[in-house]
Amino acid sequence: MSRIIPPSELIINPDGSVFHLHLLPEQLTDRVILVGDPGRVVMVASFFDTRTFEVSSREFHTIGGTYKGKPIMCLSHGIGPDNIDIVVTELDALANIDFQTREVRENTRSLTLVRIGTSGALQPELTIGTPVIAEKAIGFDGVLNYYAGRNSVADLDFEHALCDHTGWNPLWAKPYVVDADPTLVEQIGRDDMVRGNTISAVGFYGPQGREVRLHLANPDLNARIEAFRHGDRRITNYEMESAPLQGLARLMGHRAMTVCSIIANRYNNTANPQYKNSIADLVRTVLDRI
C-alpha cells in the first residue's frame, strides 16, 4: 500500500500549492535552476524564450518558462543549508506525491537540479571568476545526518580522513561528503570549469573561519583544511548549500550539482564584489548545457 503523508508532515496551502514555495504541482518542470538571491531569478529568466508563471513567497522566488524549447524554471533558495532542506523536500513532494490523496506515487519522477552560486576559494591558483563544480560536497551543516540512509550516499573514507586531519571539534555536526550526480557533471562541466571539492558551511562568518568581533573556537581550522589531501583530492572552496542539495537529491533519486563562480580567495585575501558579469556568463553556459 502506498504511504499517505499526514497534513502535519506536508502542509498544502488552501490553493493547492506546497507550503513554503507556493508552487503548484502542474508548474514544476523537470529542469530546475537554483540560485540563492531572489533578485537573481529575474536575471536568469531574462535569458528565457518564454515566461509562463512567476511566484514569490518569502525568499523563495520562482519564474518558469522555456529556454531554447526546454521547459525550465529558476527558483531562489535564500542563504544556508536549512533552506535547502525545505526546497529539495518540497520540490520532491511536487514531483512524487499526489496532492489530492497525499499518497506517494508508485512511479517516481526524477528532477535535474543545478545550483549556480558564488564561493570563496581555499587554494591560491583559483582566480576570481573561475567556475568550480562541487564534484564532491562536504557538509559541515549536519542536515543529511537527520535522514536514514545517509551513509549509503556518503564517502565515508573521505569523511574519516578529514575529521582525523583537522582534529574535528566534537561540538560540531559530523561532516558528510556527497558526490554530485556524475552524469550531470559530465553534461554541464567542460574544460572551462574546475572540478572541485566544496565545503558547505553552516554560516558565513565564524563557520567559515572569519573573525570579526568574536574569537574563533578553532582559529587554525582553515589552515588545516587547506593542507588536507585525500588521495589526489584537496578542498577547493567554501559555500553554504551544495552538500545538502546533493545529499538529499541522491537519497530521493534526483540529479543534482552545484557550480559556483569564485568571488573571493581566502588564501590570497582577495575579493571582487563586482562579480555579476561572471555570474551572468555562467548562467548562460548552464542554460545551454542543462
Side-chain angles (χ1 to χ4, degrees):
M1 178 178 289
S2 180
R3 180 171 171 237
I4 297 177
I5 311 298
S8 60
E9 307 303 286
L10 176 66
I11 301 172
I12 298 173
N13 297 316
D15 65 355
S17 64
V18 72
F19 185 53
H20 295 92
L21 304 185
H22 277 259
L23 293 174
L24 299 164
E26 57 266 28
Q27 292 173 320
L28 181 67
T29 59
D30 288 337
R31 298 176 181 87
V32 183
I33 300 291
L34 298 168
V35 295
D37 182 0
R40 195 173 295 158
V41 174
V42 175
M43 184 270 283
V44 175
S46 71
F47 296 109
F48 291 179
D49 305 319
T50 63
R51 290 169 55 161
T52 54
F53 70 87
E54 181 170 6
V55 176
S56 289
S57 174
R58 307 184 198 191
E59 60 265 62
F60 309 114
H61 181 198
T62 310
I63 297 177
T66 60
Y67 179 79
K68 295 186 177 179
K70 299 177 291 192
I72 198 164
M73 55 191 269
C74 182
L75 164 64
S76 64
H77 51 67
I79 297 175
D82 49 341
N83 279 8
I84 296 297
D85 181 60
I86 291 170
V87 168
V88 176
T89 300
E90 293 195 1
L91 287 175
D92 180 75
L94 290 165
N96 292 311
I97 295 173
D98 185 322
F99 276 26
Q100 299 300 316
T101 65
R102 293 184 165 273
E103 291 181 308
V104 178
R105 299 184 190 277
E106 285 188 23
N107 298 317
T108 56
R109 178 180 172 187
S110 180
L111 305 175
T112 295
L113 311 172
V114 178
R115 186 179 106 72
I116 302 172
T118 57
S119 182
L122 289 167
Q123 301 298 335
E125 73 279 6
L126 289 177
T127 57
I128 304 299
T130 301
V132 178
I133 292 173
E135 191 169 39
K136 283 187 183 291
I138 303 119
F140 284 7
D141 52 272
V143 166
L144 206 67
N145 299 339
Y146 290 89
Y147 290 95
R150 169 250 199 248
N151 285 359
S152 67
V153 300
D155 185 335
L156 301 180
D157 289 341
F158 195 117
E159 291 176 14
H160 295 153
L162 178 64
C163 288
D164 289 344
H165 175 84
T166 57
W168 193 254
N169 190 326
L171 294 177
W172 299 336
K174 179 177 172 55
Y176 58 94
V177 180
V178 185
D179 291 347
D181 182 89
T183 64
L184 191 54
V185 170
E186 290 299 321
Q187 180 180 333
I188 302 294
R190 299 285 193 279
D191 292 341
D192 54 356
M193 296 181 186
V194 172
R195 300 191 181 190
N197 307 286
T198 302
I199 291 173
S200 292
V202 72
F204 184 78
Y205 289 101
Q208 294 188 36
R210 290 183 171 95
E211 190 169 86
V212 183
R213 277 209 324 120
L214 297 179
H215 297 301
L216 300 174
N218 292 72
D220 63 341
L221 178 62
N222 275 5
R224 295 187 189 188
I225 290 169
E226 290 160 8
F228 172 72
R229 300 290 185 273
H230 186 62
D232 61 353
R233 291 186 177 273
R234 56 187 177 160
I235 295 175
T236 49
N237 57 313
Y238 262 128
E239 50 83 83
M240 296 175 65
E241 293 91 11
S242 62
L245 169 64
Q246 294 173 191
L248 292 171
R250 287 183 75 86
L251 285 175
M252 294 173 181
H254 305 297
R255 300 198 307 156
M257 63 164 277
T258 289
V259 57
C260 287
S261 180
I262 297 298
I263 67 167
N265 190 299
R266 304 295 302 284
Y267 189 95
N268 297 328
N269 292 318
T270 57
N272 175 24
Q274 306 298 321
Y275 57 83
K276 292 188 178 179
N277 287 341
S278 64
I279 287 290
D281 291 341
L282 182 56
V283 165
R284 189 182 295 109
T285 298
V286 171
L287 287 172
D288 283 338
R289 297 175 184 176
I290 193 170

